């Protein structure tokens, strides 16, 4: 995966863990500073930049991931294809492509911006809060996922009807329906009316 100035800044050559920093933003999405990742998610949460990716196969099925059990935030729940945070100074589109490859081992095809959504979702299980200005992307997954087990416990492609059944059975991430609903116009444009999204 190629490095950019933002990703090179956040790579550690000696294997030591360094603090992951997020971009803090105002209500219009303008960068106003940075904060350490965990601190930004502690109640009441600080508004920060994020992204969510929705990838579909050629049959119009959505690629879901179940978050790995070892994740500190929302472990073991189902969510959209990929979500995360750009590094400070990293373009959201570049961050979305980078994390999709890092988590799932695939590079999206035809990935396109699908708008933004702002939300505030507490996670009762962890006590953390998602205060996010989220950049949405939709695209095609033409390769077989090869998930990183540290990030992803399981993946599945689902139709709109299958998703409704799975969502009713749970558990899903607190933000999932918010980002899905915000991305629906772009999803319908990508998958066509017959897919049912």
């Amino acid at each position: 995966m190629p490095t950019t100035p933002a990703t090179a800044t956040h790579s550690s050559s000696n294997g030591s863990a360094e603090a992951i920093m997020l971009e803090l933003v105002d209500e219009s999405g303008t960068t106003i500073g940075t904060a350490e990742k965990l601190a930004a998610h502690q109640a009441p949460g600080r508004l920060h930049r994020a992204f969510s990716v929705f990838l579909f196969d050629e049959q119009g099925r959505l690629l879901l991931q179940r978050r790995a059990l070892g994740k500190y935030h929302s472990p073991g729940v189902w969510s959209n294809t990929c979500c995360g945070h750009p590094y400070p100074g990293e373009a959201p589109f570049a961050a979305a492509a980078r994390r999709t490859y890092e988590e799932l081992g695939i590079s999206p095809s035809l990935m396109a911006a699908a708008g933004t959504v702002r939300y505030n979702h507490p996670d009762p299980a962890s006590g953390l809060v998602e205060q996010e200005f989220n950049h949405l992307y939709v695209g095609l997954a033409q390769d077989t996922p090869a998930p990183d087990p540290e990030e992803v416990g399981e993946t599945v492609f689902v139709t709109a009807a299958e998703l409704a059944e799975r969502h009713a059975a749970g558990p899903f991430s607190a933000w999932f329906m918010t980002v899905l609903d915000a991305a629906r116009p772009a999803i319908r444009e990508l998958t066509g009316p017959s897919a049912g999204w």
Side-chain angles (χ1 to χ4, degrees), residues 52-91:
S52 289
V53 178
F54 296 85
L55 297 184
F56 296 81
D57 66 10
E58 292 177 357
Q59 289 77 49
R61 298 179 303 168
L62 172 61
L63 176 58
L64 296 177
Q65 69 155 277
R66 189 197 304 259
R67 294 165 63 84
L69 291 174
K71 293 182 80 70
Y72 77 93
H73 189 355
S74 302
V77 302
W78 288 98
S79 200
N80 48 294
T81 307
C82 181
C83 53
H85 310 92
Y87 293 129
E90 184 182 22

Side-chain angles (χ1 to χ4, degrees), residues 113-185:
T116 59
V117 62
R118 190 262 195 254
Y119 52 79
N120 176 359
H121 285 302
D123 176 38
S126 67
L128 300 175
V129 178
E130 289 289 6
Q131 283 263 25
E132 293 189 330
F133 188 94
N134 198 303
H135 298 256
L136 308 171
Y137 298 97
V138 300
L140 298 177
Q142 296 182 311
D143 298 323
T144 302
D148 175 352
E150 296 288 315
E151 298 288 341
V152 180
E154 186 179 352
T155 62
V156 66
F157 282 95
V158 296
T159 65
E162 289 166 344
L163 174 61
E165 291 175 8
R166 281 179 173 268
H167 191 262
F172 272 75
S173 63
W175 61 87
F176 176 75
M177 286 308 297
T178 299
V179 293
L180 175 64
D181 286 344
R184 278 187 198 273

